[in-house]
Amino acid sequence: MLEIRKIQKRYPNDFLALADFSLSVKQGEILVIVGGSGCGKSTLLRLIAGLDQPTAGSISLDGTPVLGPRPEIGVVFQEPRLMPWLTIAKNVAFGIRHLPAEEQRQRVAQVLKRVGLSSLAERWPKELSGGQAQRVALARALVGQPEVLLMDEPYSALDALTRHDLQEHLLSLWVDQQPTLILVTHDIEEALFLADQVVVLQSQPGRVKSSFPIHLERPRQREDTLFLQWRSRLLKELDHANRVSETSSGPVTRQHQTTAVG
C-alpha cells in the first residue's frame, strides 16, 4: 500500500505546488491522475519516486517512509531519456548493474521479450522509432521488478495509433505481475482506458478535487456508450476543477469529493 499523508511541496521561490495532499493507493491498482497544467502532477510523481522531498507530510510504501529513490519504485518519464552511447540492452540493464552479470543478462532478455524488442537488443537509441524508444524506457523501469511503477505522460509525444497500441501493451504487461501503476496524463480517453481509479487535481496549489473508481469492464472499447458517458463525466470534473482553481486558491470542501481519498 502506498500512503501519501498531508504532503506539501513549497519550492525555494515560495511557489506552493502541492498542499494538504492525501491519497491511498492499493497494491496492484491502476491509478490515473488528471488535471490542468500547473496542478502539481509531475511534482507529485517526483515525490513518490523519492527524487524530491515534501516540505511537510509523509509518503510511505508498505509502512516504510520514502526518503529517496528505491528499487521498489520504477519511473517512466515523458521522454525516453535513453543514453545514446549505450545499446538498447545496456540501457535496460543500467539500473541493475549491481546484480551478477548472468542475472542481468537473463533479466534484460526477459523484459525485452515482454515489450517485444528482443531483436533490437544490440541496436542504438538513434535507430528506434518514438514508440520503440518508449518501450525501451518501460523495459528499463520493469527490469528492476518494481512494486510501484510511475509514469509521467509517457505517450503524449506519440501519434494516436502508436499511443493506443502502447496503452494496450501496457495493460498486457500489467496483467503479468500487477504492480501498482500510477500514471499522469492529459488524455481523458487514456485515463478511462487504463484506470481502476481516477484522481482529478485542481491547482493553485495542487490538491485532490475528486476521486472515483471507473466501473468499466476490460477490455474497454472507446466507442462504447458507457465509455463515452464516463468520458463526459470526467470532462465535467476537469472543467469544474479548472474553474475552482481560477476562482480560489483555498482548500476544496468535502462535498466536492465523490469518494473519500487518503
Side-chain angles (χ1 to χ4, degrees):
M1 172 88 65
L2 180 70
E3 295 280 356
I4 303 169
R5 293 298 181 196
K6 295 186 177 181
I7 62 169
Q8 173 182 294
K9 180 59 182 177
R10 188 182 296 275
Y11 287 99
N13 64 359
D14 208 37
F15 175 70
L16 185 61
L18 296 168
D20 195 28
F21 192 107
S22 296
L23 199 64
S24 296
V25 190
K26 295 181 292 186
Q27 173 63 34
E29 183 176 28
I30 300 179
L31 179 82
V32 178
I33 301 171
V34 297
S37 297
C39 67
K41 301 185 298 296
S42 294
T43 295
L44 177 63
L45 289 195
R46 287 184 60 83
L47 296 176
I48 296 172
L51 299 173
D52 203 352
Q53 292 299 309
T55 47
S58 65
I59 300 174
S60 63
L61 179 61
D62 298 331
T64 303
V66 176
L67 302 176
R70 294 171 54 174
E72 300 94 338
I73 303 176
V75 186
V76 179
F77 297 99
Q78 185 172 357
E79 305 86 18
R81 300 188 182 183
L82 304 181
M83 289 165 280
W85 60 89
L86 297 179
T87 64
I88 300 311
K90 288 182 178 179
N91 263 281
V92 172
F94 191 80
I96 57 170
R97 291 168 297 162
H98 60 287
L99 297 177
E102 181 58 22
E103 184 173 353
Q104 289 185 46
R105 188 195 66 75
Q106 291 179 0
R107 284 203 191 189
V108 169
Q110 181 183 47
V111 76
L112 284 177
K113 182 178 180 180
R114 289 177 66 199
V115 300
L117 296 178
S118 294
S119 63
L120 304 183
E122 298 307 315
R123 296 275 187 93
W124 302 96
K126 66 181 181 180
E127 300 178 87
L128 304 182
S129 67
Q132 288 171 334
Q134 272 299 14
R135 288 194 186 204
V136 174
L138 179 57
R140 184 174 56 191
L142 291 173
V143 77
Q145 300 174 352
E147 180 181 339
V148 177
L149 181 60
L150 309 176
M151 305 186 76
D152 191 1
E153 299 189 68
Y155 307 140
S156 61
L158 304 175
D159 65 86
L161 288 177
T162 302
R163 204 160 56 235
H164 288 182
D165 177 62
L166 291 183
Q167 289 163 7
E168 292 177 359
H169 187 68
L170 176 61
L171 277 181
S172 68
L173 293 174
W174 172 80
V175 167
D176 287 345
Q177 295 181 340
Q178 297 202 5
T180 302
L181 177 59
I182 302 177
L183 173 77
V184 161
T185 184
H186 279 101
D187 188 330
I188 301 303
E189 288 191 357
E190 181 171 77
L192 294 174
F193 186 77
L194 295 172
D196 296 315
Q197 184 94 353
V198 169
V199 173
V200 179
L201 302 189
Q202 70 174 74
S203 59
Q204 303 177 2
R207 64 182 79 229
V208 175
K209 157 66 173 61
S210 59
S211 174
F212 45 88
I214 302 300
H215 298 297
L216 290 170
E217 293 185 2
R218 294 190 176 101
R220 297 173 182 175
Q221 303 299 322
R222 293 174 173 84
E223 65 275 11
D224 283 356
T225 300
L226 191 55
F227 189 98
L228 295 175
Q229 290 173 350
W230 275 100
R231 182 178 183 275
S232 178
R233 175 183 175 181
L234 185 50
L235 282 170
K236 289 178 181 177
E237 289 283 342
L238 278 168
D239 179 63
H240 187 256
N242 289 336
R243 285 188 283 111
V244 169
S245 298
E246 290 169 359
T247 58
S248 173
S249 60
V252 179
T253 56
R254 285 191 178 270
Q255 60 261 33
H256 288 314
Q257 297 189 9
T258 53
T259 61
V261 178

